[in-house]
Amino acid sequence: MLAVAALIGAGLGWERWSPGRSLALDLGGGDVFGRRTSASTDRPPPPASPSPTPLATAPAPPPGTGGYEFIAIRPDVDAPVTYDPCRPIRYVINNADAPPDGDRMVAEALARVSDATGLVFQPVGPTDEAPSIDRESYQPGRYGEVWAPVVIGWTTPEAEPALAGEVAGQGGSAWLEIDNVLVDGQRVSRTAAFISGVIALDGPQIAQIAGQGPQGYAAARAVVMHEAGHLVGLQHVNDPSQLMNPSNSAGVTDFAVGDLRGLAQLGRGPCIPEL
């Protein structure tokens, strides 16, 4: 019953874009960090009527050998930390500095991740919360007695210094380790699951990317997709053919086979009704 850890910035990905390289996104790699807390009582009550089964069917991993890595591994089994597929990933959007077509980019990126994982994203509405990696995952005064929804925020380097220079975005999730809990109907001594997350996007810079010719929109959306990949648990990979590669010199604008293989596993996590 002890909530052991919530790593708020785990696996946050930050993306660079070089205007002189057209659609070749120069994605940053030094982005894995977190903050550990031990607030065992500062968490919401379990939902009254949790779904006993996943809300959607996770797809089978596609054939192929493309690489993928996970941000975190569960303490009970050799499997990635995931969001609970039996509940939706609720999210709010801060459009303070959104570019044209910003809502479309977010909707398409989340739809692509949902298709690749089977996870269900549920929009909650707008927010004025800043997309900070230091946010609390439980904010009952703002969002009620539930885990805070993922915040997706269009912002600027002035408001979020981590986006300074060529950094165009950050993304990642907090996970909670919890003891003596039901996992897919069986009680285990300890497991872990993602509970909330952040995607911070540099609105002016992504607008500039989107304006770079016919493929600019696809390149801009690729930044959002990369961050959404971090959000659900994908880490960077060395394979340059994958969207989750931190140095996207090939200008990849969609998830490749390795990305999809990893995303398929991230949609097959356990149901944890007591989370």
Side-chain angles (χ1 to χ4, degrees):
M1 288 77 64
L2 172 65
V4 178
L7 288 122
I8 302 301
L12 294 183
W14 48 280
E15 318 320 323
R16 297 182 182 273
W17 175 71
S18 173
R21 299 182 65 184
S22 184
L23 300 181
L25 301 177
D26 184 11
L27 307 182
D31 60 351
V32 181
F33 55 94
R35 178 168 63 87
R36 183 175 291 272
T37 65
S38 57
S40 61
T41 59
D42 190 19
R43 54 178 172 144
S49 301
S51 171
T53 58
L55 302 180
T57 302
T65 58
Y68 59 89
E69 297 287 345
F70 298 124
I71 284 174
I73 301 298
R74 288 164 48 191
D76 50 327
V77 294
D78 185 19
V81 174
T82 67
Y83 277 95
D84 182 342
C86 294
R87 65 184 77 194
I89 301 175
R90 302 167 63 251
Y91 69 94
V92 292
I93 298 182
N94 184 330
N95 276 325
D97 294 281
D101 286 330
D103 283 343
R104 176 185 166 198
M105 291 180 199
V106 169
E108 291 179 353
L110 295 184
R112 193 75 180 93
V113 172
S114 182
D115 288 344
T117 61
L119 296 171
V120 174
F121 290 89
Q122 181 184 85
V124 175
T127 186
D128 61 359
E129 182 189 2
S132 169
I133 64 171
D134 295 322
R135 75 190 294 254
E136 296 295 331
S137 294
Y138 181 45
Q139 302 180 43
R142 183 189 291 268
Y143 297 115
E145 292 188 342
V146 293
W147 291 116
V150 169
V151 60
I152 302 173
W154 294 98
T155 185
T156 66
E158 290 73 27
E160 177 50 67
L163 299 177
E166 296 176 344
V167 179
Q170 287 189 312
S173 287
W175 75 79
L176 186 78
E177 291 188 358
I178 185 170
D179 291 341
N180 189 26
V181 64
L182 286 173
V183 175
D184 280 341
Q186 297 186 358
R187 192 160 296 278
V188 301
S189 59
R190 175 174 294 184
T191 193
F194 291 128
I195 51 175
S196 188
V198 179
I199 295 178
L201 301 163
D202 186 334
Q205 186 174 175
I206 291 178
Q208 185 182 12
I209 298 170
Q212 297 296 304
Q215 296 300 314
Y217 176 84
R221 183 181 58 190
V223 176
V224 186
M225 290 175 60
H226 182 104
E227 302 308 338
H230 283 314
L231 178 75
V232 297
L234 282 184
Q235 181 55 283
H236 284 151
V237 294
N238 292 327
D239 184 347
S241 68
Q242 308 303 311
L243 184 60
M244 297 311 295
N245 179 265
S247 299
N248 191 358
S249 59
V252 179
T253 58
D254 197 1
F255 292 123
V257 170
D259 304 315
L260 293 172
R261 291 173 64 217
L263 288 167
Q265 290 195 48
L266 290 166
R268 296 174 179 273
C271 295
I272 309 176
E274 298 168 307
L275 183 66

